[in-house]
Amino acid sequence: GDNPEKRSAHLQVIIDEAKRLADMVNDVLDLSKIQSGTQKLTMSSFNITDMLRHDIRRYQKMLEHEGYTFIFSYDKEAFAYGDENKLNQAVYNLISNAVRYCGEDKQILVKQTVWDHSVKVEVSDHGEGILPEDLPYVWDRYYKADKTHEGYTIGSGLGLSIVKGILELHGCTYGVHSCQEEGTTFWFLLDAYQNHEIMDKK
């Protein structure tokens, strides 16, 4: 039959699926560039607090009807040194991962802390957590902590390997800690800039 509503729903499914495949291809390309060493970083000083704020807003808009809550806490406006686009992609993938595994309360927490010469970024959820024996593998390609879980965003399964690749290109310290039933926190440290004067000299 020629039901416009049905047709539009079918079209939306096709569009979503095409987008998912395109994202997946891009993820594979990104990962192979990172792994083959052809991925070049464009380094600059940027306001990482703004970047995090912007990422969280994007997610809030996308998921506002799904009952998710995003909580951003930061100690002060901070500037970091790195490839802003790539780091943005890393943070976006970490938030995406937290959304997928965030558990009953649908809360995702993003926290920024400035230490001496570094900015620490943490992305946490209150999901069921990752088993200690699985933790070493969470960064691997196509690894899924929970094989049966159909999350809101079905990614390519490359999200965390891309995060790892980007952080390693930056020489960042990063990690993950998780407790059964209490949730999971992914974190990384970036070089911080103390003030604008230093930034201008770069």
Side-chain angles (χ1 to χ4, degrees), residues 101-124:
Y101 295 111
C102 67
E104 296 294 300
D105 69 352
K106 291 191 164 186
Q107 268 192 8
I108 291 97
L109 298 89
V110 179
K111 187 179 175 192
Q112 171 209 287
T113 330
V114 181
W115 293 345
D116 216 12
H117 296 291
S118 43
V119 184
K120 184 178 193 184
V121 175
E122 296 168 90
V123 179
S124 308

Side-chain angles (χ1 to χ4, degrees), residues 64-102:
E64 60 192 346
H65 306 302
E66 303 283 329
Y68 290 88
T69 317
F70 295 84
I71 299 160
F72 181 34
S73 64
Y74 62 97
D75 41 5
K76 57 183 176 187
E77 296 285 322
F79 287 83
Y81 187 64
D83 184 319
E84 186 174 3
N85 285 336
K86 295 275 178 299
L87 290 165
N88 194 35
Q89 188 186 4
V91 168
Y92 201 71
N93 281 350
L94 286 177
I95 296 174
S96 195
N97 188 66
V99 167
R100 193 176 299 144
Y101 295 111
C102 67

Side-chain angles (χ1 to χ4, degrees), residues 130-138 143 180:
I130 301 161
L131 293 166
E133 61 267 29
D134 287 340
L135 267 184
Y137 306 108
V138 297
Y143 176 83
Q180 284 307 113

Side-chain angles (χ1 to χ4, degrees), residues 146-159:
D146 176 2
K147 305 275 190 307
T148 57
H149 192 99
E150 286 292 316
Y152 177 80
T153 44
I154 306 296
S156 61
L158 292 176

Side-chain angles (χ1 to χ4, degrees), residues 131-174:
L131 293 166
E133 61 267 29
D134 287 340
L135 267 184
Y137 306 108
V138 297
W139 306 98
D140 293 356
R141 303 172 60 146
Y142 304 119
Y143 176 83
K144 285 273 197 292
D146 176 2
K147 305 275 190 307
T148 57
H149 192 99
E150 286 292 316
Y152 177 80
T153 44
I154 306 296
S156 61
L158 292 176
L160 291 175
S161 351
I162 289 171
V163 172
K164 175 188 178 188
I166 290 169
L167 296 178
E168 286 181 353
L169 278 178
H170 281 83
C172 289
T173 310
Y174 64 92

